[in-house]
Amino acid sequence: MHDSITVDSKPAPTPNQSSSQQPHRAGPSTVSVHAGEARQKPNDAITDSICCSSTYTFDSTQSILDYIHEKQDREEYGRYGNPNEKVVERKLAALDGAEDAILYSSGMAAIVGLLMTKLNAGDEIVFFDECYHRSREFCFKHLSRFGVVTHQVKTGDFDAMNAAINDRTKMIVSESPTNPHLTVVDLEQFVALGKERGVETLIDATLASPFNIQPLEYGVDYVWHSATKYLGGHNDLLAGVISGSKEKLEPVRKLRGILGCINAPHNMYLLERGLKTFALRMQRHNENGQRVAEFLASHPRVEHVYYPGLPSHPTHAIAKRTMKGFGGLITFLVRDADWRQTGSIIDACRIPRIGPSLGGVESLIEQPMVMSYFDYAPEQRAKFGIADNMIRMSCGIEDADDLIADLEQALSQS
Ligand SMILES: *Cc1c(COP(=O)(O)O)cnc(C)c1O
């Protein structure tokens, strides 16, 4: 009943599937609304019902044997997955243009699950240094205890990454765009390097989302998203996903069944519901991001704006070539402000709420120096490029005019 990642078993357009003559790939809105779901559902409901069950029963000993021998596609025990999670996995695979997608209980659980599967003692991994800090921390502090060696090189420096690869290297990792500097990485170059040196490639595409970038089309091996952000989109859940080929992901799924970091059916209902409006939300996030970034760039109290949609961004050309839009996240520096003055601008905002995270319908604002780096030494903060006068704003789906008016009044406070 649920065994395809197509939009529909009926004639409606399906991703990557040709109709009678010309191939037609459904757009992101159609995919986010329909993909992965059965057309006819239990009780004839249009929505997927929440299937709360920790175990799944067999009607006889023979049916267990059939399940084992015929590798039947059915549920067995909740740690291996549940019907609500499977629907969302198929939807996310379709959005990423992937054969398969594996959901986890958070973005971090997803990368831990992938790296625990793929890396052995003696293996090495190389990161671009603007990758999500907890993913690098997991490798440096924890995978090291199991004999895995981690290197990091400056983001976008392909010569340095090439030099850091040796015959023990198994994987190279980048985020794109990065947080908080919004550096976009050239995926063609990244994949070419991986292929040339015979190492697998992983992209954290959380900030782009599948709406703005399709890393698998470039030949990346694994795409990682924190579904907590744009995919969930409503600041009401945590989840993470890894997309890629069925073959490469099969052992990853097996280890997830041991680690047990799956999602409860209720959480998956929320994610499926959130995904229905994914493409619509992304359009608005992209529009708001661009407009607010342009406003900030023209404001006398703003020293600098980091936004890949602005020509002033060092990776604007790569972003324009590879991304459909540039997302809702903007980082900017306040002119001549110390950290307390910067904080008072945040405090003066009335619409964005103060907090970490990004990608939800509610705008969020924060000062990275206070929110994430307060107990770091100033030299360390400088090394990460975290300035005292830096503000990061995740534009939600509110009206851009309102966000701009709010920032205008906040920036005009003393
Ligand atoms: C939030 C985030 C993560 C981690 O995801 P969680 O769902 O919080 O575990 C990883 N990468 C990026 C870019 C993120 O923004």
Side-chain angles (χ1 to χ4, degrees), residues 260-274:
C261 38
I262 58 112
N263 285 279
H266 286 93
N267 205 45
M268 290 297 92
Y269 183 84
L270 284 177
L271 181 51
E272 186 180 342
R273 194 183 204 279

Side-chain angles (χ1 to χ4, degrees), residues 221-233:
D221 293 299
Y222 308 102
V223 181
W224 173 33
H225 303 282
S226 166
T228 312
K229 314 295 169 51
Y230 289 115
L231 294 168

Side-chain angles (χ1 to χ4, degrees), residues 288-307:
N288 283 358
Q290 188 70 37
R291 283 207 47 209
V292 171
E294 283 168 10
F295 160 75
L296 288 169
S298 69
H299 198 284
R301 281 212 72 193
V302 174
E303 175 190 319
H304 186 73
V305 182
Y306 299 85
Y307 187 70

